[in-house]
């Protein structure tokens, strides 16, 4: 491979979008500790802003947040993996401006890592294929391959590494309500593994909003298997979901393992009214749209 450097660029700015799971079905616990799943993921317009500049080494800053700026950060590790694969690349300075709430079930860290992999590959002249980038991504986290891909919506299976592009459900108003505390994904999956089968079934079979008809004639079963485990520990999140539905959302679900709860609206005035109502009670309330 010819020598690769960043001499021909000064700054690259990219957006790393949030996502919601329109359904999340946990199939089984694997021997390696990961869970087999099926999930339809949809990207949002809400995004972190990432700036890349040439550097002699690897530098990371996450101004305005308490996130680590070393190998304990997925972005740093993503860049490390890439630089190991493309050793002729000199280095990069990465600045992350966080707009997506941290540890909120919206995929912010995974998105930052996946988008940085794509950006570095672009700057290096595309030495790695999309599939090779996705293989790096799965080493970082189950959601990272989705953000490496160009899909706005995709059905993920396996532990998240197998992606099938899905027609995006674009243009819906998405209200994100976050109570201001973090939820451990590991803890929620551990709780899920201890649930009896009848409690898991409650998430889907007893949910009157199971089937949702979208404008593009797509009819989806919308549910989240992790809701029961998360709601048992944080029952106020179930109340947020009910309130969103009562305020006019045609769909409301827990985002990932939480604690964010999202509601989809097809009416902007209803979405704005609901946002204004929730803003008085919760520290993080964001109105965005599906891509």
């Amino acid at each position: 491979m010819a020598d690769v450097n960043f001499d021909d660029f000064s700054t690259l700015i990219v957006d790393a979008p949030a996502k919601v799971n329109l359904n999340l079905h946990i199939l089984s616990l694997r021997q390696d500790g990961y869970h087999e799943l099926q999930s339809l993921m949809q990207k949002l317009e809400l995004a972190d802003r990432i700036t890349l500049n040439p550097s002699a080494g690897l530098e990371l800053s996450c101004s305005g947040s308490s996130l680590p700026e070393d190998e304990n950060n997925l972005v740093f590790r993503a860049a490390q993996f890439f630089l190991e694969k493309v050793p002729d690349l000199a280095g990069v300075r990465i600045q992350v401006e966080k707009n997506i709430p941290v540890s909120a079930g919206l995929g912010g860290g995974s998105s930052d890592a996946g988008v940085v992999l794509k950006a570095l590959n672009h700057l290096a002249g595309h030495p790695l294929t999309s599939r090779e980038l996705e293989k790096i991504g799965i080493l970082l986290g189950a959601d990272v391959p989705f953000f490496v891909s160009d899909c706005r919506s995709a059905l993920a299976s396996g532990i998240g590494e197998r992606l099938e592009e899905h027609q995006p459900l674009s243009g819906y108003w998405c209200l994100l309500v976050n109570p201001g505390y973090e939820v451990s994904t590991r803890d929620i999956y551990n709780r899920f593994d201890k649930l009896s089968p009848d409690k898991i079934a409650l998430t889907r079979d007893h949910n009157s909003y199971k089937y949702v008809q979208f404008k593009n004639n797509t009819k989806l079963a919308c549910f989240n298997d992790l809701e029961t485990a998360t709601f048992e520990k944080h029952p106020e999140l179930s109340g947020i979901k009910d309130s969103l539905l009562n305020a006019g959302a045609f769909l409301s679900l827990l985002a990932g393992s939480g604690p964010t709860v999202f509601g989809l609206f097809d009416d902007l005035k209803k979405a704005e009214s609901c946002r204004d109502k929730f803003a008085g009670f919760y520290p993080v309330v964001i109105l965005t749209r599906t891509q």
Side-chain angles (χ1 to χ4, degrees):
M1 180 187 300
D3 287 346
V4 182
N5 59 58
F6 286 163
D7 291 343
D8 59 346
F9 95 103
S10 56
T11 299
L12 176 65
I13 300 175
V14 290
D15 288 334
K19 60 86 181 170
V20 290
N21 300 76
L22 295 175
N23 53 46
L24 177 56
H25 186 16
I26 311 300
L27 300 174
S28 62
L29 175 62
R30 299 175 7 156
Q31 289 186 344
D32 61 7
Y34 287 97
H35 288 78
E36 290 278 338
L37 57 81
Q38 288 181 341
S39 181
L40 180 62
M41 297 189 287
Q42 171 67 50
K43 290 175 182 174
L44 305 177
E45 290 182 357
L46 172 68
D48 292 339
R49 177 62 57 90
I50 300 177
T51 303
L52 298 93
N53 294 105
S55 175
L58 175 56
E59 304 173 51
L60 172 65
S61 65
C62 302
S63 57
S65 79
S66 59
L67 290 171
E69 298 177 340
D70 54 18
E71 61 274 2
N72 294 306
N73 189 302
L74 280 183
V75 171
F76 193 96
R77 288 165 56 199
Q80 275 186 322
F81 278 133
F82 187 87
L83 293 174
E84 289 171 3
K85 288 279 189 180
V86 187
D88 293 325
L89 197 61
V92 64
R93 180 184 302 112
I94 304 171
Q95 298 169 285
V96 180
E97 177 187 339
K98 291 297 294 182
N99 298 308
I100 304 170
V102 176
S103 298
L106 298 169
S110 296
S111 182
D112 294 343
V115 167
V116 162
L117 285 175
K118 285 201 300 183
L120 290 173
N121 198 49
H122 171 74
L123 293 170
H126 301 278
L128 302 182
T129 66
S130 295
R131 183 58 185 151
E132 288 173 320
L133 290 175
E134 289 173 8
K135 286 182 177 180
I136 296 175
I138 201 62
L139 299 174
L140 298 164
D143 288 341
V144 179
F146 175 55
F147 294 109
V148 169
S149 80
D150 293 326
C151 301
R152 288 181 288 165
S153 183
L155 180 64
S157 58
I159 62 172
E161 82 281 11
R162 296 196 297 269
L163 297 172
E164 179 183 342
E165 187 168 9
H166 189 276
Q167 182 178 2
L169 301 168
S170 306
Y172 290 99
W173 297 100
C174 183
L175 185 63
L176 307 170
V177 181
N178 185 290
Y181 53 78
E182 296 182 8
V183 168
S184 166
T185 299
R186 182 185 298 273
D187 176 59
I188 295 304
Y189 271 96
N190 287 338
R191 287 174 172 270
F192 173 85
D193 291 334
K194 296 174 183 177
L195 290 175
S196 60
D198 60 315
K199 282 194 172 183
I200 298 172
L202 285 175
T203 304
R204 299 188 298 275
D205 299 337
H206 293 247
N207 186 341
S208 61
Y209 291 87
K210 176 178 178 181
Y211 291 102
V212 177
Q213 182 74 51
F214 290 85
K215 293 177 182 177
N216 61 3
N217 295 320
T218 299
K219 188 175 184 180
L220 292 177
C222 296
F223 59 89
N224 182 341
D225 277 351
L226 296 178
E227 282 190 349
T228 300
T230 304
F231 289 171
E232 279 191 352
K233 186 173 183 181
H234 303 285
E236 69 273 22
L237 300 179
S238 178
I240 294 175
K241 175 178 178 177
D242 291 340
S243 295
L244 284 166
L245 293 171
N246 291 334
F250 66 84
L251 170 66
S252 181
L253 289 171
L254 183 72
S257 59
T260 303
V261 181
F262 72 91
L264 291 186
F265 295 79
D266 51 17
D267 184 286
L268 175 58
K269 288 186 178 179
K270 284 184 180 180
E272 289 177 331
S273 175
C274 190
R275 175 200 59 195
D276 295 342
K277 173 184 175 183
F278 276 93
F281 294 94
Y282 298 100
V284 181
V285 179
I286 300 171
L287 183 59
T288 183
R289 298 186 80 180
T290 54
Q291 284 193 11

